[in-house]
Amino acid sequence: MITSTNNDRVKQVVAYVQKSKARKDGDVFVIEGMKMLREAPVLQVREVYVTQRFLDKATEEDKEILWRYGAEEVADDVMKKMADTQTPQGVLAVVSQYHYSEEEVLKGYNKDDEGAKPLILILENIQDPGNLGTMLRSGEGAGVTGVILSKGSADIYNPKVIRSTMGSIFRMPFIYVESLPEMIKKLSANGINTYAAHLKGKKSYDEFDYTKPTAFLIGNEGNGLTKETADAATEYILIPMKGEVESMNAATSAAILTFEASRQRRG
């Protein structure tokens, strides 16, 4: 059992949790909880840590999974030091990062429909980790086949993003790109229609046909899309709102649009 918070392995995990650069250098990210560990692809898992408190209540199935990974037992205070949550669940793992190609994201993959046309989320300067994680989670539910992020967006491997994805991080192809306008041009050249969620849109989002290859552009929580990126889209679209509400939460907007596409594609 690891009982010291000064242990080198413990300090390394703490760095992975707290620092984007450490995660990048180590090519890893950190997950917490048995549910996430069950969903993680076996070959991606590098290290697993568990507390005796968790083992005392664990099912035989959970114990079998933990021992299969050679889980290292740690003291409660050590787990609290390593974890990003205030009340750790008692299981933590270090997992290899994913590296998707542009082609994989553009082609996309929907496990429920291998012939599904691309349905892509393009995210510009999304800063809130919870928003980003929620977009991946709701995107998977709506059949999104890939996510494209600007370099100015939050680190997708931030622990708060990972928690918000509820496992979708393991299944959603994504890439970061230097220039969204250039990428949007490339999508158009590949026959993918691009729609910018924008307050200047003249038509409601539900007036368009999303059964064709589609990408939705969602902008920064406070400032929306930059003009250059929005103008590169095929169309501006509007989410009509009543009352005195001026704008929609970025994750909510993404869910509304992608589930409308999902509804249309169900026929």
Side-chain angles (χ1 to χ4, degrees), residues 9-44:
R9 290 172 65 186
V10 172
K11 289 193 283 189
Q12 185 64 74
V13 172
V14 172
Y16 292 150
V17 169
Q18 296 179 350
K19 300 176 182 178
S20 178
K21 184 179 185 302
R23 292 192 291 271
K24 185 176 181 180
D25 291 346
D27 198 29
V28 297
F29 63 104
V30 175
I31 61 174
E32 293 185 45
M34 202 63 211
K35 179 183 183 298
M36 289 288 282
L37 182 59
R38 286 195 208 97
E39 293 192 33
V42 173
L43 296 180
Q44 297 288 116

Side-chain angles (χ1 to χ4, degrees), residues 38-266:
R38 286 195 208 97
E39 293 192 33
V42 173
L43 296 180
Q44 297 288 116
V45 178
R46 292 195 189 180
E47 304 168 16
V48 178
Y49 300 91
V50 64
T51 63
Q52 184 61 53
R53 187 190 300 269
F54 179 87
L55 290 173
D56 288 342
K57 300 178 181 178
T59 65
E60 290 303 315
E61 181 184 359
D62 286 347
K63 289 179 183 177
E64 184 178 337
I65 293 171
L66 290 165
W67 299 142
R68 187 191 308 154
Y69 284 122
E72 181 84 41
E73 199 173 326
V74 299
D76 287 346
D77 62 326
V78 173
M79 178 63 73
K80 189 164 187 176
K81 176 75 173 178
M82 292 194 296
D84 185 61
T85 51
Q86 288 294 317
T87 308
Q89 297 179 50
V91 175
L92 179 150
V94 177
V95 182
S96 296
Q97 291 190 8
Y98 290 83
H99 300 284
Y100 298 101
S101 68
E102 183 179 298
E103 181 183 2
E104 285 175 309
V105 172
L106 296 190
K107 181 180 178 183
Y109 174 66
N110 183 328
K111 70 182 181 64
D112 298 318
D113 180 6
E114 293 186 30
K117 294 183 175 66
L119 178 58
I120 297 169
L121 270 178
I122 301 176
L123 308 178
E124 184 175 42
N125 301 334
I126 298 298
Q127 295 297 301
D128 184 88
N131 273 342
L132 180 52
T134 298
M135 288 183 198
L136 265 68
R137 184 184 180 194
S138 64
E140 182 184 12
V144 167
T145 52
V147 177
I148 299 172
L149 304 103
S150 69
K151 288 289 187 181
S153 294
D155 176 12
I156 206 164
Y157 290 122
N158 180 304
K160 293 179 176 61
V161 176
I162 299 301
R163 283 200 301 279
S164 296
T165 70
M166 297 290 286
S168 294
I169 188 66
F170 301 128
R171 299 178 290 274
M172 184 64 68
F174 65 88
I175 52 172
Y176 284 84
V177 298
E178 292 289 345
S179 171
L180 285 183
E182 289 301 316
M183 175 55 67
I184 292 166
K185 290 177 185 176
K186 189 172 291 188
L187 294 181
S188 297
N190 280 273
I192 298 174
N193 296 315
T194 53
Y195 301 93
H198 206 290
L199 293 175
K200 292 183 179 179
K202 301 299 183 185
K203 289 186 177 181
S204 173
Y205 73 98
D206 55 5
E207 295 182 54
F208 294 89
D209 179 6
Y210 305 130
T211 60
K212 301 171 183 177
T214 296
F216 293 116
L217 282 63
I218 305 292
N220 173 268
E221 292 89 346
N223 303 314
L225 292 163
T226 61
K227 187 176 187 303
E228 183 184 12
T229 296
D231 286 350
T234 309
E235 295 274 1
Y236 277 15
I237 56 175
L238 180 68
I239 299 175
M241 291 175 282
K242 295 185 178 182
E244 297 183 24
V245 176
E246 294 182 355
S247 63
M248 188 74 68
N249 171 273
T252 302
S253 296
I256 288 171
L257 298 176
T258 53
F259 274 95
E260 170 61 17
S262 177
R263 183 193 68 79
Q264 291 186 16
R265 291 178 179 206
R266 290 197 307 271

